[in-house]
Amino acid sequence: MNTEIHTEQASLSDLDEIMHIEHTSFGVDAFSRQQMAYLVSHAKGVFLIARYNKKIAGYISFTTSNRHNTGRIYSIAVNPEYRACGIGGILLNKTIEYAHQKGLRSIFLEVRIDNSAAISVYEKNGFTKRSIKTNYYHDGAAAYSMVLHL
């Protein structure tokens, strides 16, 4: 399947599909349409989508900070139809490449402590757990704060 997937910068015309994936993936913790529109069109960094058969199969929002020379994976999600097909890894690898090109020192992210699939992908890509943030999600679940030093 990986050979049929391509990534590109998201545009506002992609927002309906992005929001579908966001709500399907995160429910009450989903970002609003306004927040996503900002991330796609105004945030400093990159917002990539992965297309498979002309459909958006997943996305990643990555913001950067010149002040700290770091980046943050703000959100990453894959349409449930395409999970376990390597799309999350492809998006993550493209983001790490982007961070290297920008000369960033580190990439940070938060992930639910019970999301073992995502944690596994992050750890395979060199991320390590820094701390636990309690009551991070709407339902009171905790998150790992993770970092990748570049």
Side-chain angles (χ1 to χ4, degrees), residues 11-17 40 51 56:
S11 70
L12 289 176
S13 65
D14 300 318
L15 208 49
D16 287 342
E17 286 182 85
V40 167
R51 287 194 189 273
I56 297 175

Side-chain angles (χ1 to χ4, degrees), residues 7 17-27 29-31 36 39-40 46-50 56-63 72-80 82-96 107-112 115 117-123 125 127 136-137 144 146:
T7 59
E17 286 182 85
I18 290 168
M19 290 309 300
H20 171 73
I21 296 168
E22 175 74 5
H23 286 292
T24 302
S25 299
F26 300 115
D29 288 311
F31 290 126
M36 281 298 201
L39 290 169
V40 167
V46 66
F47 195 118
L48 298 175
I49 55 172
I56 297 175
Y59 69 82
I60 189 166
S61 175
F62 181 68
T63 59
R72 179 171 181 238
I73 295 175
Y74 216 76
S75 185
I76 181 172
V78 175
N79 184 321
Y82 302 108
R83 290 188 182 152
C85 296
I87 292 169
I90 290 168
L91 289 165
L92 189 58
N93 287 332
K94 290 287 185 180
T95 301
I96 292 169
I107 299 173
F108 298 93
L109 62 84
E110 287 78 34
V111 59
R112 283 181 72 101
N115 190 342
I119 293 166
S120 175
V121 170
Y122 298 140
E123 288 178 336
N125 282 278
F127 283 82
Y136 189 78
Y137 294 97
Y144 287 122
M146 298 184 77

